[in-house]
């Protein structure tokens, strides 16, 4: 999952960034509206955590601009202001949630997970893929009583395929999602093939994985 954190308070930004990285997110940071706006234009984010009081921008304007530009990331507004007017304004402009500072990091994570579940029509934090059960909180995969040990990247790949089940994901989409925007210069589609191969090997040692389809010349699809 790619996250853009837009926050001008450096200490808070650093704290949130470290926490999200420890939870397996790829995190980009912007300390002002201009830099955020450029990053939103170039990259694809799953989440944008947006401070309203930025030095050069009103966060609401940034949200409005991003939505008008077709950005479909989930926005969570971060603000020290506690007025309900702000909250309503943000939600009207298309924010997905709202957190008043100071907030707890586990709460931020829980809200992000809840948004993901809503967005992808899931009702709990576990996803069943042909008998393989992914637990999104503990980031584990089990098949009946056995735990399947996956690397972070393998887990993220499987999770992303599961969230987009029954849709073909191109190698480029998978690469962007797993590595964020850091790979652009030396993009190599083989990276994904190698990770999928390892993933298949680990999963198929436990059970049938016919649901993981290679779409020749394009990418992969998880059929459920
Ligand atoms: Ca601020």
């Amino acid at each position: 999952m790619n996250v853009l954190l837009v926050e001008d308070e450096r200490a808070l930004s650093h704290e949130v960034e470290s926490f999200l990285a420890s939870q397996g997110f790829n995190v980009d940071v912007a300390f002002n509206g201009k830099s955020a706006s450029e990053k939103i234009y170039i990259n694809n984010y799953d989440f944008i955590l947006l401070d309203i009081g930025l030095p050069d921008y009103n966060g609401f304007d940034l949200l409005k601009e991003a939505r008008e530009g077709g950005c479909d990331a989930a926005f969570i507004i971060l603000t020290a202001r506690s007025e309900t007017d702000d909250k309503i304004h943000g939600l009207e402009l298309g924010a997905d949630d709202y957190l008043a500072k100071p907030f707890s990091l586990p709460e931020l994570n829980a809200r992000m997970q809840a948004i993901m579940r809503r967005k992808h029509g899931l009702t709990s934090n576990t996803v069943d893929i042909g008998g393989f059960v992914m637990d999104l909180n503990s980031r584990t995969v089990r098949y009946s009583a056995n735990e399947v040990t996956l690397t972070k990247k393998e887990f993220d790949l499987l999770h992303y395929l599961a969230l987009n089940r029954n849709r073909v994901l191109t190698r480029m989409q998978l690469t962007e999602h797993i590595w964020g925007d850091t790979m652009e210069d030396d993009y190599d589609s083989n990276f994904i093939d190698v990770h999928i191969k390892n993933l298949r090997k680990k999963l198929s040692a436990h059970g049938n994985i016919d649901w993981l389809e290679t779409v020749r010349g394009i990418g992969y699809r998880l059929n459920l």
Side-chain angles (χ1 to χ4, degrees):
M1 298 271 159
N2 297 320
V3 182
L4 175 64
L5 171 61
V6 189
E7 169 62 70
D8 63 316
E9 285 171 49
R10 303 279 170 142
L12 176 62
S13 170
H14 187 67
E15 189 192 357
V16 174
E17 181 190 7
S18 312
F19 171 75
L20 291 176
S22 77
Q23 300 298 306
F25 292 98
N26 302 315
V27 191
D28 258 1
V29 293
F31 299 118
N32 57 58
K34 183 171 178 290
S35 152
S37 174
E38 285 166 4
K39 285 177 190 290
I40 292 169
Y41 186 71
I42 298 168
N43 303 312
N44 268 320
Y45 294 106
D46 301 292
F47 285 99
I48 297 175
L49 311 182
L50 178 64
D51 176 29
I52 291 302
L54 295 167
D56 58 340
Y57 246 79
N58 175 313
F60 291 126
D61 293 339
L62 189 71
L63 166 59
K64 192 158 174 275
E65 177 192 301
R67 285 290 187 238
E68 284 170 0
C71 170
D72 66 349
F75 275 81
I76 299 180
I77 292 191
L78 311 175
T79 176
R81 308 178 205 184
S82 54
E83 288 91 25
T84 40
D85 279 0
D86 266 5
K87 180 173 178 174
I88 292 164
H89 189 41
L91 297 175
E92 277 174 359
L93 288 175
D96 297 85
D97 207 345
Y98 181 100
L99 270 176
K101 295 181 206 172
F103 53 84
S104 84
L105 295 172
E107 180 176 7
L108 171 63
N109 193 27
R111 300 271 190 117
M112 292 170 79
Q113 300 293 346
I115 289 172
M116 262 305 127
R117 287 200 303 272
R118 278 206 303 275
K119 208 166 178 172
H120 295 280
L122 302 174
T123 50
S124 76
N125 263 328
T126 58
V127 187
D128 188 317
I129 311 164
F132 289 88
V133 179
M134 297 190 85
D135 184 319
L136 306 180
N137 279 340
S138 60
R139 295 179 58 85
T140 54
V141 178
R142 308 191 76 84
Y143 189 83
S144 51
N146 301 317
E147 180 162 348
V148 186
T149 311
L150 300 181
T151 64
K152 175 188 177 298
K153 300 261 184 259
E154 289 160 0
F155 184 92
D156 289 344
L157 256 182
L158 186 60
H159 184 200
Y160 193 55
L161 284 160
L163 288 175
N164 294 284
R165 57 200 175 281
N166 303 320
R167 278 180 52 198
V168 181
L169 294 174
T170 65
R171 290 183 171 80
M172 183 60 123
Q173 283 173 318
L174 291 165
T175 305
E176 250 184 38
H177 182 80
I178 305 301
W179 281 274
D181 62 339
T182 55
M183 291 275 299
E184 273 174 29
D185 295 337
D186 53 353
Y187 168 71
D188 179 349
S189 64
N190 286 329
F191 282 110
I192 285 296
D193 297 333
V194 169
H195 283 279
I196 291 275
K197 191 175 159 212
N198 293 338
L199 184 59
R200 278 200 166 118
K201 196 170 162 190
K202 288 181 179 179
L203 294 170
S204 61
H206 295 270
N208 182 303
I209 55 158
D210 287 348
W211 40 264
L212 180 50
E213 183 190 352
T214 303
V215 182
R216 192 181 285 269
I218 303 175
Y220 297 93
R221 176 167 53 205
L222 196 155
N223 298 303
L224 273 190

